[in-house]
Short mmCIF file of all heavy atoms in Angstrom, two decimals:
data_model
loop_
_atom_site.label_atom_id
_atom_site.label_comp_id
_atom_site.label_asym_id
_atom_site.label_seq_id
_atom_site.Cartn_x
_atom_site.Cartn_y
_atom_site.Cartn_z
N TYR A 12 -19.97 9.03 11.38
CA TYR A 12 -19.46 8.69 10.06
C TYR A 12 -18.68 9.87 9.52
O TYR A 12 -19.12 11.02 9.62
CB TYR A 12 -20.62 8.35 9.11
CG TYR A 12 -20.14 8.02 7.72
CD1 TYR A 12 -19.64 6.76 7.43
CD2 TYR A 12 -20.16 8.98 6.72
CE1 TYR A 12 -19.17 6.47 6.16
CE2 TYR A 12 -19.70 8.69 5.45
CZ TYR A 12 -19.20 7.43 5.17
OH TYR A 12 -18.73 7.14 3.93
N VAL A 13 -17.52 9.60 8.94
CA VAL A 13 -16.70 10.66 8.35
C VAL A 13 -16.86 10.63 6.83
O VAL A 13 -16.65 9.59 6.20
CB VAL A 13 -15.21 10.48 8.71
CG1 VAL A 13 -14.36 11.51 7.98
CG2 VAL A 13 -15.00 10.57 10.22
N ASP A 14 -17.22 11.76 6.27
CA ASP A 14 -17.23 11.91 4.82
C ASP A 14 -15.77 12.14 4.40
O ASP A 14 -15.25 13.24 4.52
CB ASP A 14 -18.10 13.10 4.41
CG ASP A 14 -18.07 13.36 2.91
OD1 ASP A 14 -17.24 12.75 2.20
OD2 ASP A 14 -18.88 14.20 2.46
N GLU A 15 -15.14 11.08 3.95
CA GLU A 15 -13.69 11.16 3.70
C GLU A 15 -13.34 11.99 2.47
O GLU A 15 -12.20 12.40 2.31
CB GLU A 15 -13.13 9.74 3.58
CG GLU A 15 -13.23 8.99 4.91
CD GLU A 15 -12.78 7.54 4.81
OE1 GLU A 15 -11.97 7.21 3.93
OE2 GLU A 15 -13.27 6.73 5.62
N ILE A 16 -14.31 12.23 1.63
CA ILE A 16 -14.04 13.11 0.48
C ILE A 16 -13.91 14.55 0.97
O ILE A 16 -13.06 15.31 0.50
CB ILE A 16 -15.18 13.01 -0.56
CG1 ILE A 16 -15.30 11.57 -1.08
CG2 ILE A 16 -14.95 13.99 -1.70
CD1 ILE A 16 -14.11 11.07 -1.86
N ALA A 17 -14.74 14.92 1.94
CA ALA A 17 -14.72 16.29 2.47
C ALA A 17 -13.62 16.50 3.50
O ALA A 17 -13.13 17.62 3.68
CB ALA A 17 -16.07 16.62 3.08
N CYS A 18 -13.22 15.44 4.20
CA CYS A 18 -12.20 15.53 5.26
C CYS A 18 -10.91 16.11 4.68
O CYS A 18 -10.48 15.73 3.59
CB CYS A 18 -11.95 14.13 5.83
SG CYS A 18 -10.55 14.02 6.98
N ILE A 19 -10.29 17.03 5.45
CA ILE A 19 -9.02 17.63 5.00
C ILE A 19 -7.82 17.07 5.74
O ILE A 19 -6.70 17.57 5.59
CB ILE A 19 -9.07 19.17 5.14
CG1 ILE A 19 -9.32 19.59 6.60
CG2 ILE A 19 -10.13 19.76 4.21
CD1 ILE A 19 -9.17 21.08 6.85
N GLY A 20 -8.05 16.06 6.58
CA GLY A 20 -6.93 15.38 7.24
C GLY A 20 -6.24 16.18 8.32
O GLY A 20 -5.06 15.97 8.60
N CYS A 21 -6.97 17.04 9.00
CA CYS A 21 -6.34 17.92 10.00
C CYS A 21 -5.97 17.17 11.28
O CYS A 21 -5.20 17.68 12.09
CB CYS A 21 -7.26 19.08 10.32
SG CYS A 21 -8.73 18.63 11.26
N THR A 22 -6.53 16.02 11.52
CA THR A 22 -6.31 15.12 12.67
C THR A 22 -7.00 15.56 13.96
O THR A 22 -6.86 14.90 14.99
CB THR A 22 -4.80 14.88 13.00
OG1 THR A 22 -4.25 16.01 13.67
CG2 THR A 22 -3.99 14.58 11.75
N PHE A 23 -7.74 16.66 13.94
CA PHE A 23 -8.35 17.17 15.18
C PHE A 23 -9.24 16.11 15.83
O PHE A 23 -9.15 15.89 17.04
CB PHE A 23 -9.17 18.43 14.91
CG PHE A 23 -8.37 19.64 14.53
CD1 PHE A 23 -9.01 20.77 14.04
CD2 PHE A 23 -7.00 19.67 14.67
CE1 PHE A 23 -8.28 21.90 13.68
CE2 PHE A 23 -6.25 20.79 14.32
CZ PHE A 23 -6.90 21.91 13.82
N CYS A 24 -10.12 15.50 15.07
CA CYS A 24 -11.06 14.54 15.65
C CYS A 24 -10.33 13.35 16.27
O CYS A 24 -10.69 12.89 17.36
CB CYS A 24 -12.08 14.06 14.62
SG CYS A 24 -11.34 13.20 13.21
N ALA A 25 -9.30 12.87 15.59
CA ALA A 25 -8.55 11.72 16.09
C ALA A 25 -7.73 12.08 17.32
O ALA A 25 -7.44 11.22 18.15
CB ALA A 25 -7.64 11.16 14.99
N ASP A 26 -7.36 13.34 17.45
CA ASP A 26 -6.64 13.79 18.64
C ASP A 26 -7.59 13.91 19.83
O ASP A 26 -7.20 13.65 20.97
CB ASP A 26 -5.98 15.15 18.39
CG ASP A 26 -4.79 15.06 17.47
OD1 ASP A 26 -4.23 13.95 17.32
OD2 ASP A 26 -4.42 16.08 16.88
N VAL A 27 -8.83 14.32 19.57
CA VAL A 27 -9.80 14.54 20.65
C VAL A 27 -10.44 13.23 21.10
O VAL A 27 -10.50 12.94 22.30
CB VAL A 27 -10.89 15.53 20.20
CG1 VAL A 27 -12.01 15.60 21.22
CG2 VAL A 27 -10.28 16.92 19.98
N ALA A 28 -10.92 12.43 20.19
CA ALA A 28 -11.63 11.19 20.51
C ALA A 28 -10.82 10.00 19.98
O ALA A 28 -11.15 9.40 18.96
CB ALA A 28 -13.03 11.22 19.91
N ARG A 29 -9.78 9.67 20.70
CA ARG A 29 -8.83 8.65 20.25
C ARG A 29 -9.39 7.24 20.25
O ARG A 29 -8.84 6.36 19.61
CB ARG A 29 -7.58 8.70 21.14
CG ARG A 29 -6.81 9.99 21.02
CD ARG A 29 -5.72 10.10 22.08
NE ARG A 29 -5.02 11.36 21.97
CZ ARG A 29 -3.87 11.50 21.31
NH1 ARG A 29 -3.32 10.48 20.74
NH2 ARG A 29 -3.30 12.69 21.23
N GLY A 30 -10.47 7.05 21.01
CA GLY A 30 -11.08 5.73 21.04
C GLY A 30 -12.09 5.51 19.94
O GLY A 30 -12.67 4.42 19.83
N THR A 31 -12.31 6.54 19.14
CA THR A 31 -13.35 6.47 18.11
C THR A 31 -12.79 6.67 16.70
O THR A 31 -13.14 5.94 15.77
CB THR A 31 -14.43 7.53 18.39
OG1 THR A 31 -14.98 7.30 19.69
CG2 THR A 31 -15.54 7.49 17.35
N PHE A 32 -11.92 7.68 16.55
CA PHE A 32 -11.40 8.04 15.22
C PHE A 32 -9.93 7.68 15.09
O PHE A 32 -9.18 7.72 16.06
CB PHE A 32 -11.54 9.55 14.99
CG PHE A 32 -12.94 10.08 15.06
CD1 PHE A 32 -13.43 10.57 16.26
CD2 PHE A 32 -13.75 10.09 13.95
CE1 PHE A 32 -14.73 11.07 16.34
CE2 PHE A 32 -15.04 10.58 14.02
CZ PHE A 32 -15.54 11.07 15.21
N TYR A 33 -9.52 7.34 13.89
CA TYR A 33 -8.10 7.20 13.60
C TYR A 33 -7.84 7.83 12.24
O TYR A 33 -8.77 8.10 11.47
CB TYR A 33 -7.67 5.73 13.61
CG TYR A 33 -7.98 4.97 12.35
CD1 TYR A 33 -6.97 4.62 11.45
CD2 TYR A 33 -9.29 4.61 12.04
CE1 TYR A 33 -7.26 3.91 10.29
CE2 TYR A 33 -9.58 3.90 10.89
CZ TYR A 33 -8.55 3.56 10.02
OH TYR A 33 -8.84 2.87 8.87
N MET A 34 -6.57 8.09 11.97
CA MET A 34 -6.21 8.64 10.67
C MET A 34 -5.75 7.50 9.77
O MET A 34 -4.82 6.76 10.11
CB MET A 34 -5.09 9.68 10.82
CG MET A 34 -5.44 10.88 11.66
SD MET A 34 -6.92 11.79 11.09
CE MET A 34 -6.40 12.30 9.45
N ASP A 35 -6.40 7.36 8.63
CA ASP A 35 -5.99 6.36 7.66
C ASP A 35 -4.71 6.86 6.99
O ASP A 35 -4.73 7.90 6.32
CB ASP A 35 -7.09 6.13 6.63
CG ASP A 35 -6.71 5.05 5.65
OD1 ASP A 35 -6.07 5.39 4.62
OD2 ASP A 35 -7.01 3.88 5.91
N GLU A 36 -3.62 6.15 7.19
CA GLU A 36 -2.32 6.63 6.72
C GLU A 36 -2.26 6.75 5.21
O GLU A 36 -1.69 7.69 4.67
CB GLU A 36 -1.21 5.71 7.21
CG GLU A 36 -0.92 5.88 8.69
CD GLU A 36 0.29 5.09 9.14
OE1 GLU A 36 1.12 4.72 8.28
OE2 GLU A 36 0.40 4.85 10.35
N GLN A 37 -2.87 5.81 4.52
CA GLN A 37 -2.78 5.82 3.06
C GLN A 37 -3.57 6.98 2.46
O GLN A 37 -3.09 7.70 1.59
CB GLN A 37 -3.28 4.50 2.49
CG GLN A 37 -3.07 4.37 1.00
CD GLN A 37 -3.40 2.98 0.48
OE1 GLN A 37 -3.83 2.11 1.23
NE2 GLN A 37 -3.22 2.79 -0.81
N ALA A 38 -4.79 7.17 2.97
CA ALA A 38 -5.66 8.22 2.42
C ALA A 38 -5.41 9.57 3.08
O ALA A 38 -5.74 10.61 2.51
CB ALA A 38 -7.13 7.82 2.59
N GLY A 39 -4.86 9.55 4.30
CA GLY A 39 -4.65 10.81 5.01
C GLY A 39 -5.95 11.42 5.50
O GLY A 39 -6.04 12.63 5.71
N ARG A 40 -6.96 10.58 5.68
CA ARG A 40 -8.26 11.03 6.13
C ARG A 40 -8.65 10.31 7.42
O ARG A 40 -8.14 9.24 7.72
CB ARG A 40 -9.34 10.75 5.07
CG ARG A 40 -9.07 11.36 3.72
CD ARG A 40 -9.08 12.88 3.79
NE ARG A 40 -9.28 13.51 2.51
CZ ARG A 40 -8.33 13.85 1.66
NH1 ARG A 40 -7.07 13.59 1.97
NH2 ARG A 40 -8.61 14.43 0.51
N ALA A 41 -9.57 10.91 8.16
CA ALA A 41 -10.05 10.28 9.39
C ALA A 41 -11.11 9.24 9.07
O ALA A 41 -11.83 9.34 8.07
CB ALA A 41 -10.63 11.33 10.33
N ARG A 42 -11.20 8.26 9.98
CA ARG A 42 -12.23 7.24 9.84
C ARG A 42 -12.63 6.79 11.25
O ARG A 42 -11.80 6.78 12.15
CB ARG A 42 -11.71 6.06 9.03
CG ARG A 42 -12.75 4.99 8.78
CD ARG A 42 -12.26 3.93 7.83
NE ARG A 42 -12.25 4.40 6.43
CZ ARG A 42 -12.14 3.61 5.39
NH1 ARG A 42 -11.98 2.30 5.56
NH2 ARG A 42 -12.16 4.08 4.17
N VAL A 43 -13.87 6.40 11.40
CA VAL A 43 -14.33 5.85 12.67
C VAL A 43 -13.96 4.37 12.71
O VAL A 43 -14.30 3.62 11.80
CB VAL A 43 -15.86 6.01 12.83
CG1 VAL A 43 -16.34 5.30 14.10
CG2 VAL A 43 -16.24 7.48 12.89
N PHE A 44 -13.25 3.96 13.75
CA PHE A 44 -12.91 2.54 13.88
C PHE A 44 -13.70 1.87 14.99
O PHE A 44 -13.74 0.65 15.10
CB PHE A 44 -11.41 2.34 14.11
CG PHE A 44 -10.91 2.79 15.46
CD1 PHE A 44 -10.83 1.90 16.52
CD2 PHE A 44 -10.52 4.10 15.66
CE1 PHE A 44 -10.36 2.30 17.76
CE2 PHE A 44 -10.05 4.52 16.90
CZ PHE A 44 -9.96 3.63 17.95
N ASN A 45 -14.35 2.67 15.85
CA ASN A 45 -15.09 2.11 16.97
C ASN A 45 -16.26 3.03 17.28
O ASN A 45 -16.06 4.10 17.88
CB ASN A 45 -14.16 1.97 18.18
CG ASN A 45 -14.83 1.33 19.37
OD1 ASN A 45 -15.87 0.68 19.25
ND2 ASN A 45 -14.24 1.51 20.54
N GLN A 46 -17.45 2.62 16.86
CA GLN A 46 -18.64 3.44 17.13
C GLN A 46 -18.83 3.53 18.64
O GLN A 46 -18.89 2.53 19.33
CB GLN A 46 -19.87 2.82 16.48
CG GLN A 46 -19.82 2.74 14.97
CD GLN A 46 -20.00 4.11 14.31
OE1 GLN A 46 -20.55 5.03 14.90
NE2 GLN A 46 -19.54 4.23 13.08
N GLY A 47 -18.92 4.74 19.16
CA GLY A 47 -19.12 4.90 20.59
C GLY A 47 -17.89 4.55 21.41
O GLY A 47 -18.00 4.13 22.56
N GLY A 48 -16.70 4.72 20.84
CA GLY A 48 -15.47 4.38 21.53
C GLY A 48 -15.06 5.38 22.61
O GLY A 48 -14.11 5.13 23.34
N ASP A 49 -15.75 6.51 22.65
CA ASP A 49 -15.51 7.53 23.67
C ASP A 49 -16.85 7.96 24.24
O ASP A 49 -17.91 7.65 23.67
CB ASP A 49 -14.80 8.75 23.06
CG ASP A 49 -13.39 8.41 22.59
OD1 ASP A 49 -12.50 8.32 23.44
OD2 ASP A 49 -13.21 8.22 21.37
N GLU A 50 -16.79 8.68 25.36
CA GLU A 50 -18.02 9.21 25.94
C GLU A 50 -18.68 10.16 24.93
O GLU A 50 -18.00 10.83 24.15
CB GLU A 50 -17.72 9.96 27.23
CG GLU A 50 -17.21 9.07 28.36
CD GLU A 50 -18.25 8.04 28.77
OE1 GLU A 50 -19.45 8.38 28.87
OE2 GLU A 50 -17.86 6.87 28.98
N PRO A 51 -20.02 10.24 24.95
CA PRO A 51 -20.73 11.08 23.98
C PRO A 51 -20.25 12.53 23.95
O PRO A 51 -20.18 13.13 22.87
CB PRO A 51 -22.19 10.99 24.46
CG PRO A 51 -22.28 9.66 25.13
CD PRO A 51 -20.95 9.46 25.80
N ASP A 52 -19.90 13.10 25.12
CA ASP A 52 -19.45 14.50 25.10
C ASP A 52 -18.09 14.64 24.43
O ASP A 52 -17.81 15.66 23.80
CB ASP A 52 -19.42 15.07 26.53
CG ASP A 52 -18.48 14.31 27.46
OD1 ASP A 52 -18.36 13.08 27.30
OD2 ASP A 52 -17.85 14.96 28.31
N VAL A 53 -17.26 13.61 24.51
CA VAL A 53 -15.96 13.65 23.84
C VAL A 53 -16.15 13.53 22.33
O VAL A 53 -15.51 14.24 21.54
CB VAL A 53 -15.04 12.53 24.37
CG1 VAL A 53 -13.73 12.49 23.58
CG2 VAL A 53 -14.77 12.73 25.85
N ILE A 54 -17.06 12.65 21.93
CA ILE A 54 -17.35 12.51 20.50
C ILE A 54 -17.94 13.81 19.96
O ILE A 54 -17.57 14.26 18.86
CB ILE A 54 -18.30 11.32 20.26
CG1 ILE A 54 -17.60 10.01 20.64
CG2 ILE A 54 -18.75 11.28 18.80
CD1 ILE A 54 -18.50 8.79 20.63
N GLN A 55 -18.81 14.42 20.73
CA GLN A 55 -19.40 15.69 20.28
C GLN A 55 -18.33 16.77 20.16
O GLN A 55 -18.35 17.58 19.23
CB GLN A 55 -20.50 16.14 21.25
CG GLN A 55 -21.28 17.35 20.75
CD GLN A 55 -21.95 17.09 19.41
OE1 GLN A 55 -22.69 16.12 19.26
NE2 GLN A 55 -21.69 17.94 18.41
N GLU A 56 -17.37 16.77 21.09
CA GLU A 56 -16.27 17.73 21.00
C GLU A 56 -15.47 17.50 19.72
O GLU A 56 -15.06 18.46 19.05
CB GLU A 56 -15.36 17.61 22.23
CG GLU A 56 -14.24 18.62 22.26
CD GLU A 56 -13.34 18.45 23.48
OE1 GLU A 56 -13.71 17.72 24.42
OE2 GLU A 56 -12.25 19.06 23.47
N ALA A 57 -15.23 16.25 19.39
CA ALA A 57 -14.51 15.93 18.16
C ALA A 57 -15.29 16.41 16.95
O ALA A 57 -14.71 16.98 16.01
CB ALA A 57 -14.27 14.42 18.07
N ILE A 58 -16.60 16.21 16.96
CA ILE A 58 -17.44 16.67 15.86
C ILE A 58 -17.37 18.20 15.76
O ILE A 58 -17.21 18.76 14.67
CB ILE A 58 -18.89 16.20 16.05
CG1 ILE A 58 -18.97 14.68 15.90
CG2 ILE A 58 -19.83 16.91 15.08
CD1 ILE A 58 -20.31 14.09 16.28
N ASP A 59 -17.44 18.85 16.91
CA ASP A 59 -17.43 20.32 16.92
C ASP A 59 -16.10 20.90 16.47
O ASP A 59 -16.06 22.03 15.95
CB ASP A 59 -17.75 20.83 18.34
CG ASP A 59 -19.18 20.55 18.76
OD1 ASP A 59 -20.02 20.26 17.88
OD2 ASP A 59 -19.46 20.61 19.97
N THR A 60 -15.02 20.16 16.65
CA THR A 60 -13.71 20.69 16.28
C THR A 60 -13.41 20.53 14.80
O THR A 60 -12.45 21.12 14.29
CB THR A 60 -12.61 20.00 17.13
OG1 THR A 60 -11.44 20.79 17.10
CG2 THR A 60 -12.29 18.62 16.63
N CYS A 61 -14.22 19.75 14.11
CA CYS A 61 -13.97 19.52 12.68
C CYS A 61 -14.20 20.81 11.89
O CYS A 61 -15.31 21.35 11.88
CB CYS A 61 -14.88 18.42 12.15
SG CYS A 61 -14.63 18.11 10.39
N PRO A 62 -13.18 21.30 11.21
CA PRO A 62 -13.30 22.59 10.51
C PRO A 62 -14.16 22.54 9.25
O PRO A 62 -14.55 23.58 8.74
CB PRO A 62 -11.85 22.96 10.17
CG PRO A 62 -11.12 21.67 10.15
CD PRO A 62 -11.80 20.77 11.13
N VAL A 63 -14.44 21.35 8.75
CA VAL A 63 -15.23 21.26 7.52
C VAL A 63 -16.56 20.52 7.75
O VAL A 63 -17.27 20.20 6.79
CB VAL A 63 -14.43 20.58 6.38
CG1 VAL A 63 -13.28 21.47 5.95
CG2 VAL A 63 -13.93 19.20 6.79
N ASN A 64 -16.88 20.26 9.02
CA ASN A 64 -18.17 19.66 9.37
C ASN A 64 -18.48 18.39 8.57
O ASN A 64 -19.58 18.25 8.02
CB ASN A 64 -19.31 20.67 9.20
CG ASN A 64 -19.17 21.84 10.16
OD1 ASN A 64 -18.83 21.67 11.32
ND2 ASN A 64 -19.41 23.04 9.66
N CYS A 65 -17.52 17.49 8.52
CA CYS A 65 -17.74 16.29 7.71
C CYS A 65 -17.98 15.04 8.57
O CYS A 65 -17.95 13.92 8.05
CB CYS A 65 -16.58 16.07 6.75
SG CYS A 65 -15.00 15.71 7.54
N ILE A 66 -18.23 15.24 9.89
CA ILE A 66 -18.56 14.12 10.76
C ILE A 66 -20.02 14.22 11.15
O ILE A 66 -20.47 15.27 11.62
CB ILE A 66 -17.71 14.14 12.05
CG1 ILE A 66 -16.23 14.24 11.72
CG2 ILE A 66 -18.00 12.90 12.90
CD1 ILE A 66 -15.36 14.51 12.94
N THR A 67 -20.77 13.16 10.94
CA THR A 67 -22.20 13.18 11.25
C THR A 67 -22.62 11.89 11.92
O THR A 67 -22.02 10.83 11.71
CB THR A 67 -23.05 13.35 9.98
OG1 THR A 67 -22.67 12.35 9.02
CG2 THR A 67 -22.88 14.72 9.37
N TYR A 68 -23.65 12.00 12.75
CA TYR A 68 -24.30 10.81 13.29
C TYR A 68 -25.24 10.27 12.22
O TYR A 68 -25.98 11.03 11.59
CB TYR A 68 -25.11 11.16 14.53
CG TYR A 68 -24.29 11.30 15.79
CD1 TYR A 68 -24.02 12.54 16.33
CD2 TYR A 68 -23.81 10.17 16.44
CE1 TYR A 68 -23.27 12.67 17.50
CE2 TYR A 68 -23.05 10.27 17.60
CZ TYR A 68 -22.80 11.53 18.12
OH TYR A 68 -22.06 11.64 19.26
N VAL A 69 -25.20 8.98 11.99
CA VAL A 69 -26.14 8.34 11.07
C VAL A 69 -26.68 7.09 11.76
O VAL A 69 -26.03 6.53 12.66
CB VAL A 69 -25.47 7.95 9.73
CG1 VAL A 69 -24.98 9.19 8.98
CG2 VAL A 69 -24.31 6.99 9.94
N ASP A 70 -27.87 6.66 11.36
CA ASP A 70 -28.39 5.44 11.98
C ASP A 70 -27.70 4.22 11.36
O ASP A 70 -26.99 4.32 10.35
CB ASP A 70 -29.91 5.37 11.88
CG ASP A 70 -30.43 5.28 10.46
OD1 ASP A 70 -29.72 4.73 9.58
OD2 ASP A 70 -31.55 5.76 10.22
N LEU A 71 -27.89 3.08 11.99
CA LEU A 71 -27.15 1.87 11.58
C LEU A 71 -27.41 1.51 10.13
O LEU A 71 -26.49 1.14 9.39
CB LEU A 71 -27.53 0.71 12.51
CG LEU A 71 -26.83 -0.62 12.21
CD1 LEU A 71 -25.31 -0.48 12.28
CD2 LEU A 71 -27.32 -1.70 13.17
N GLU A 72 -28.67 1.63 9.71
CA GLU A 72 -28.99 1.26 8.32
C GLU A 72 -28.23 2.14 7.33
O GLU A 72 -27.65 1.66 6.36
CB GLU A 72 -30.50 1.40 8.10
CG GLU A 72 -30.96 0.93 6.74
CD GLU A 72 -32.48 1.01 6.59
OE1 GLU A 72 -33.18 1.14 7.62
OE2 GLU A 72 -32.94 0.97 5.45
N ASP A 73 -28.23 3.47 7.58
CA ASP A 73 -27.52 4.38 6.69
C ASP A 73 -26.01 4.15 6.77
O ASP A 73 -25.31 4.26 5.76
CB ASP A 73 -27.84 5.84 7.06
CG ASP A 73 -29.24 6.24 6.64
OD1 ASP A 73 -29.84 5.51 5.82
OD2 ASP A 73 -29.74 7.26 7.15
N LEU A 74 -25.52 3.82 7.97
CA LEU A 74 -24.09 3.56 8.13
C LEU A 74 -23.66 2.39 7.25
O LEU A 74 -22.63 2.45 6.57
CB LEU A 74 -23.77 3.26 9.59
CG LEU A 74 -22.30 2.93 9.89
CD1 LEU A 74 -21.40 4.11 9.58
CD2 LEU A 74 -22.15 2.49 11.34
N GLN A 75 -24.46 1.34 7.25
CA GLN A 75 -24.11 0.17 6.45
C GLN A 75 -24.11 0.51 4.96
O GLN A 75 -23.25 0.06 4.20
CB GLN A 75 -25.08 -0.97 6.75
CG GLN A 75 -24.87 -1.53 8.16
CD GLN A 75 -25.98 -2.46 8.62
OE1 GLN A 75 -27.10 -2.39 8.14
NE2 GLN A 75 -25.66 -3.32 9.57
N ILE A 76 -25.05 1.34 4.54
CA ILE A 76 -25.10 1.76 3.13
C ILE A 76 -23.87 2.61 2.80
O ILE A 76 -23.19 2.38 1.79
CB ILE A 76 -26.39 2.55 2.86
CG1 ILE A 76 -27.60 1.62 2.98
CG2 ILE A 76 -26.34 3.22 1.49
CD1 ILE A 76 -28.94 2.34 3.00
N LEU A 77 -23.58 3.59 3.66
CA LEU A 77 -22.44 4.48 3.41
C LEU A 77 -21.13 3.70 3.39
O LEU A 77 -20.25 3.96 2.54
CB LEU A 77 -22.39 5.56 4.50
CG LEU A 77 -23.48 6.63 4.40
CD1 LEU A 77 -23.58 7.40 5.72
CD2 LEU A 77 -23.20 7.57 3.25
N GLU A 78 -20.97 2.74 4.31
CA GLU A 78 -19.73 1.97 4.34
C GLU A 78 -19.60 1.08 3.11
O GLU A 78 -18.49 0.90 2.59
CB GLU A 78 -19.65 1.15 5.62
CG GLU A 78 -19.37 2.02 6.85
CD GLU A 78 -19.17 1.25 8.14
OE1 GLU A 78 -19.61 0.08 8.21
OE2 GLU A 78 -18.59 1.82 9.06
N SER A 79 -20.70 0.55 2.62
CA SER A 79 -20.61 -0.29 1.43
C SER A 79 -20.29 0.55 0.20
O SER A 79 -19.54 0.14 -0.68
CB SER A 79 -21.90 -1.09 1.23
OG SER A 79 -22.97 -0.23 0.87
N GLU A 80 -20.83 1.78 0.16
CA GLU A 80 -20.54 2.67 -0.96
C GLU A 80 -19.08 3.13 -0.95
O GLU A 80 -18.51 3.45 -1.98
CB GLU A 80 -21.47 3.89 -0.92
CG GLU A 80 -22.90 3.57 -1.25
CD GLU A 80 -23.82 4.77 -1.10
OE1 GLU A 80 -23.41 5.81 -0.54
OE2 GLU A 80 -24.98 4.68 -1.56
N ARG A 81 -18.49 3.15 0.24
CA ARG A 81 -17.11 3.63 0.40
C ARG A 81 -16.08 2.58 -0.01
O ARG A 81 -14.92 2.91 -0.30
CB ARG A 81 -16.90 4.03 1.86
CG ARG A 81 -15.58 4.65 2.17
CD ARG A 81 -15.50 5.07 3.61
NE ARG A 81 -15.58 3.93 4.52
CZ ARG A 81 -15.75 4.02 5.83
NH1 ARG A 81 -15.87 5.20 6.39
NH2 ARG A 81 -15.81 2.95 6.58
N GLU A 82 -16.50 1.31 -0.04
CA GLU A 82 -15.54 0.24 -0.36
C GLU A 82 -14.89 0.49 -1.71
O GLU A 82 -15.56 0.77 -2.70
CB GLU A 82 -16.27 -1.11 -0.36
CG GLU A 82 -16.51 -1.65 1.04
CD GLU A 82 -17.21 -2.99 1.03
OE1 GLU A 82 -17.11 -3.72 0.02
OE2 GLU A 82 -17.87 -3.31 2.03
N GLY A 83 -13.59 0.40 -1.75
CA GLY A 83 -12.85 0.58 -3.00
C GLY A 83 -12.60 2.02 -3.37
O GLY A 83 -11.96 2.31 -4.37
N GLN A 84 -13.11 2.93 -2.54
CA GLN A 84 -12.91 4.35 -2.81
C GLN A 84 -11.44 4.71 -2.64
O GLN A 84 -10.82 4.35 -1.65
CB GLN A 84 -13.76 5.16 -1.82
CG GLN A 84 -13.59 6.65 -1.88
CD GLN A 84 -14.51 7.32 -0.86
OE1 GLN A 84 -15.68 7.52 -1.09
NE2 GLN A 84 -13.96 7.65 0.30
N VAL A 85 -10.89 5.38 -3.60
CA VAL A 85 -9.48 5.80 -3.53
C VAL A 85 -9.44 7.31 -3.41
O VAL A 85 -10.04 8.04 -4.19
CB VAL A 85 -8.71 5.36 -4.79
CG1 VAL A 85 -7.27 5.86 -4.70
CG2 VAL A 85 -8.75 3.84 -4.93
N ILE A 86 -8.73 7.77 -2.36
CA ILE A 86 -8.62 9.22 -2.15
C ILE A 86 -7.19 9.65 -2.41
O ILE A 86 -6.26 9.07 -1.92
CB ILE A 86 -9.05 9.59 -0.70
CG1 ILE A 86 -10.51 9.21 -0.49
CG2 ILE A 86 -8.82 11.07 -0.42
CD1 ILE A 86 -10.99 9.44 0.92
FE1 SF4 B 69 -11.10 15.17 8.91
FE2 SF4 B 69 -12.75 16.70 10.29
FE3 SF4 B 69 -11.33 14.82 11.52
FE4 SF4 B 69 -10.12 16.99 10.55
S1 SF4 B 69 -11.61 16.91 12.22
S2 SF4 B 69 -9.41 14.87 10.34
S3 SF4 B 69 -11.31 17.36 8.71
S4 SF4 B 69 -12.94 14.49 9.99
#
């Protein structure tokens, strides 16, 4: 899960794990579009490359809560 408020839009994660992250053009922030879209070591590399540490693993229940809270959020 990407905390889009903290994300600075550097694109590192989306460059490393292209099957998992994309850059939202309107917000200029990264977002996960496919959970587990890359091998775990590639996803971990993407997490490690984030300069502001705003990518975290969350369980499904928390993910659903976070995604519902994000709806309508304007950055
Ligand atoms: Fe945002 Fe971190 Fe991805 Fe950079 S690496 S785009 S700061 S989530």
Side-chain angles (χ1 to χ4, degrees):
Y12 179 80
V13 175
D14 177 350
E15 294 175 26
I16 300 295
C18 172
I19 59 171
C21 71
T22 77
F23 292 169
C24 62
D26 288 340
V27 171
R29 295 170 182 264
T31 302
F32 300 94
Y33 80 107
M34 298 303 299
D35 182 271
E36 286 187 20
Q37 186 173 2
R40 303 295 200 270
R42 183 172 285 195
V43 174
F44 70 93
N45 183 18
Q46 297 287 338
D49 293 283
E50 293 297 318
D52 60 326
V53 175
I54 295 172
Q55 188 59 54
E56 183 181 347
I58 292 171
D59 292 343
T60 199
C61 179
V63 293
N64 296 319
C65 65
I66 307 170
T67 52
Y68 280 105
V69 296
D70 64 30
L71 180 58
E72 185 177 344
D73 287 344
L74 178 63
Q75 290 168 336
I76 292 169
L77 288 164
E78 287 184 340
S79 69
E80 290 176 348
R81 185 177 64 191
E82 282 181 24
Q84 175 179 278
V85 178
I86 297 176

